Amino acid sequence: MAGGSWAYFDPEYETLSIRINPPRVSVDNTSYKDYTLVKVDSVNRHGILLEVVQILTDLDLIITKAYISSDGGWFMDVFHVTDQQGNKITDETIGYIEKALGPKGQTGDGLKNWTGKRIGVHSVGNHATVELIGRDRPGLLSEVSAVLTNLHFNVLAAEVWTHNMRIACILHVNNDDTTSRAVDDPVRLSILEEQLKNILGGGEDDENVARTNFSMGFTHIDRRLHQMFTADTADRDTEGSVMRVEADFPHFKPKITVERCEEKGYLVVTVQCRDRAKLMFDIVCTLTDMQFVVFHATISSDGPHASQEYYIRHMNDHARDTEGENERVAKCLEAAIQRRASEGLTLELCAKDRVGLLSEATRILRENGLSVTRAGVTTVGEKAVNVFYVRDASGNAVDVKTIETLRKEIGKTMVLNVKTDPSQNAKAPETSGWSKASFFFGSLLERFRT
């Protein structure tokens, strides 16, 4: 309205309640023999549950039980946690939890989504973060890593997931030590972008179009992979193609139900499946990105099995009770659980970091007829650790002779550790973040040092 005026809005008002009532964190490491109790009380806001779960899982902690309540504008969480070996956590970890979840660690900004451009490679400091998604095929990761090697990019960290015949990959790269060119050289990045685009294939009008994206600033790598897959395969996941994947991963077939609670207006989501590391994170991440708020939840693991129940509403404060919406929630959760599921052979490789190491490892796997279903790459000092979940080109278990051939070829330049049937290990150790891989590799590094 002409001549009107707008009321003054203080940008700090949104965080006022958090500053007046800062989060309270209590870590009890003495009352219980078998686990550590972590309690978090805070003003409620969208995404806070994901933040808490994300911090706990990034510390490699196993959440055996959890109780969530956030009615009345106040968020209250209780977690029973252990380390990867099933022991109570150390004082050092307790200090980090209290700092990360306490008043100084809570900014009130929540977790943000970064939407990438359709085509692009973005430089962050001395590192470039490259996001790829496209149709999966045998040897694709080998081709991608070969392009990076030819252009003299070194892979510092990477995460690769495959699902529904699609592959999503995030790579953290920098230059090799022999060039003075900056990692954000627009010419090099343009060449990298074009070559990766050609490898991934797919045209602008192809429903299976490949994308090379970039993220603005820091984003949590596991959450970003979930977002990439959700945006790319929403139609496939909700139109029944997940049924084919279930045949490939029978041990990871979750049972999910979504029902309406008429009395309180909630959607009640129950999940029963084989327990594993990061299961709660994957579910909470998916619900949060689907704009659901978790009001109550009960999490429990009994041996190899997990049972989780969530009472949720949309952010607009009502539950969508249509049959189609309920099915969509169930299918999206099912897909999120299965993306991290891997069966077959696990290869852990450790060697001195150098440009072309990932290319060499994936080339050997490809030449021996192996297909990578999931992978994690990291560097710790001068050491590089690559972890691959592999199957043969037909999707079957890897032959013993192939394993021996791998030992002979890879063992010349790298320390190799082989694990069979990781699906039987319900809590296979995993970690996350840019500074470390999504796999537990401490013992392998010790072997390499000796």
Side-chain angles (χ1 to χ4, degrees):
M1 183 173 63
S5 61
W6 295 97
Y8 172 73
F9 175 76
D10 186 349
E12 295 189 355
Y13 179 78
E14 185 177 356
T15 63
L16 179 62
S17 60
I18 296 176
R19 288 183 283 115
I20 294 176
N21 299 291
R24 296 194 298 268
V25 182
S26 171
V27 182
D28 182 354
N29 207 26
T30 60
S31 297
Y32 301 93
K33 178 181 178 180
D34 300 326
Y35 57 85
T36 301
L37 198 66
V38 179
K39 298 180 181 179
V40 181
D41 295 340
S42 172
V43 172
N44 192 27
R45 55 184 170 82
H46 183 60
I48 187 172
L49 175 60
L50 177 57
E51 290 184 35
V52 174
V53 174
Q54 179 175 299
I55 289 172
L56 295 178
T57 54
D58 284 353
L59 288 171
D60 304 336
L61 300 180
I62 300 296
I63 301 173
T64 58
K65 293 182 184 295
Y67 307 96
I68 315 298
S69 179
S70 63
D71 267 345
W74 195 258
F75 172 82
M76 294 178 288
D77 274 6
V78 179
F79 298 93
H80 297 189
V81 301
T82 68
D83 63 15
Q84 293 285 341
Q85 287 71 44
N87 302 316
K88 293 193 293 186
I89 62 180
T90 64
D91 292 341
E92 181 180 1
T93 303
I94 291 175
Y96 184 88
I97 291 174
E98 292 174 338
K99 181 178 179 180
L101 297 179
K104 294 183 179 180
Q106 298 291 334
T107 64
D109 294 332
L111 294 175
K112 299 183 178 68
N113 298 334
W114 285 270
T115 55
K117 293 183 179 179
R118 184 175 182 79
I119 299 295
V121 177
H122 181 62
S123 175
V124 182
N126 294 324
H127 308 140
T129 303
V130 186
E131 297 180 358
L132 309 172
I133 190 161
R135 183 182 298 170
D136 189 26
R137 68 174 186 275
L140 179 59
L141 181 59
S142 177
E143 295 178 37
V144 169
S145 57
V147 167
L148 293 169
T149 299
N150 292 337
L151 294 176
H152 303 287
F153 283 104
N154 184 41
V155 180
L156 294 178
E159 195 79 28
V160 182
W161 291 0
T162 62
H163 183 245
N164 270 9
M165 300 302 294
R166 302 288 282 179
I167 183 171
C169 178
I170 297 180
L171 305 106
H172 206 191
V173 301
N174 68 352
N175 290 313
D176 61 44
D177 295 330
T178 63
T179 177
S180 60
R181 288 174 294 183
V183 72
D184 58 353
D185 182 339
V187 175
R188 292 183 68 209
L189 293 180
S190 178
I191 294 173
L192 173 61
E193 189 174 279
E194 188 63 29
Q195 293 192 16
L196 291 176
K197 190 176 175 182
N198 291 337
I199 288 175
L200 291 173
E204 293 293 327
D205 298 327
D206 186 352
E207 66 174 355
N208 294 321
V209 63
R211 294 176 176 85
T212 306
N213 297 335
F214 66 85
S215 58
M216 299 299 295
F218 175 84
T219 184
H220 190 270
I221 190 169
D222 287 8
R223 186 180 186 191
R224 182 60 186 148
L225 284 167
H226 277 305
Q227 292 172 338
M228 291 167 64
F229 264 118
T230 298
D232 179 75
T233 64
D235 291 339
R236 298 179 183 88
D237 289 337
T238 56
E239 289 178 1
S241 59
V242 174
M243 298 301 293
R244 176 185 52 76
V245 179
E246 291 166 2
D248 293 336
F249 300 105
H251 294 289
F252 292 90
K253 165 61 176 170
K255 180 181 179 181
I256 302 173
T257 61
V258 182
E259 299 176 340
R260 181 174 175 82
C261 176
E262 296 289 348
E263 183 180 355
K264 296 290 186 179
Y266 295 123
L267 285 182
V268 183
V269 179
T270 60
V271 179
Q272 294 181 327
C273 64
R274 174 178 288 274
D275 194 21
R276 61 165 173 77
K278 294 193 177 181
L279 178 62
M280 184 178 181
F281 170 84
D282 292 337
I283 293 173
V284 173
C285 176
T286 302
L287 293 174
T288 302
D289 285 338
M290 293 178 71
Q291 302 300 306
F292 282 104
V293 177
V294 177
F295 284 85
H296 302 281
T298 302
I299 314 300
S300 177
S301 61
D302 182 14
H305 303 292
S307 177
Q308 304 193 8
E309 185 176 60
Y310 298 86
Y311 290 75
I312 63 175
R313 293 194 192 116
H314 261 275
M315 286 187 65
N316 57 13
D317 203 35
H318 72 82
R320 300 180 182 179
D321 57 353
T322 65
E323 182 178 346
E325 177 71 6
N326 294 358
E327 183 179 0
R328 186 179 75 92
V329 172
K331 288 297 184 182
C332 286
L333 290 176
E334 184 177 353
I337 293 171
Q338 289 181 327
R339 286 176 200 134
R340 205 189 292 272
S342 298
E343 294 184 331
L345 193 70
T346 308
L347 303 178
E348 300 175 339
L349 294 82
C350 187
K352 184 176 181 180
D353 186 34
R354 56 182 169 82
V355 173
L357 181 62
L358 178 62
S359 179
E360 177 185 344
T362 53
R363 175 185 57 79
I364 293 174
L365 297 180
R366 182 193 65 203
E367 290 176 349
N368 283 275
L370 300 182
S371 178
V372 177
T373 61
R374 191 157 61 94
V377 176
T378 193
T379 55
V380 179
E382 295 183 351
K383 306 297 186 298
V385 177
N386 299 347
V387 182
F388 303 96
Y389 285 94
V390 298
R391 309 173 87 180
D392 70 13
S394 301
N396 300 318
V398 180
D399 186 81
V400 176
K401 294 182 180 179
T402 302
I403 297 176
E404 294 306 314
T405 302
L406 288 174
R407 290 188 185 278
K408 292 179 182 179
E409 291 190 48
I410 295 179
K412 297 176 182 178
T413 56
M414 311 177 203
V415 174
L416 172 64
N417 187 26
V418 180
K419 296 180 179 180
T420 58
D421 198 12
S423 67
Q424 301 304 314
N425 186 359
K427 296 179 180 178
E430 298 180 89
T431 64
S432 176
W434 286 111
S435 61
K436 52 188 177 180
S438 289
F439 305 89
F440 184 75
F441 50 83
S443 60
L444 190 62
L445 281 174
E446 290 301 321
R447 288 179 56 194
F448 183 83
R449 292 191 183 101
T450 57

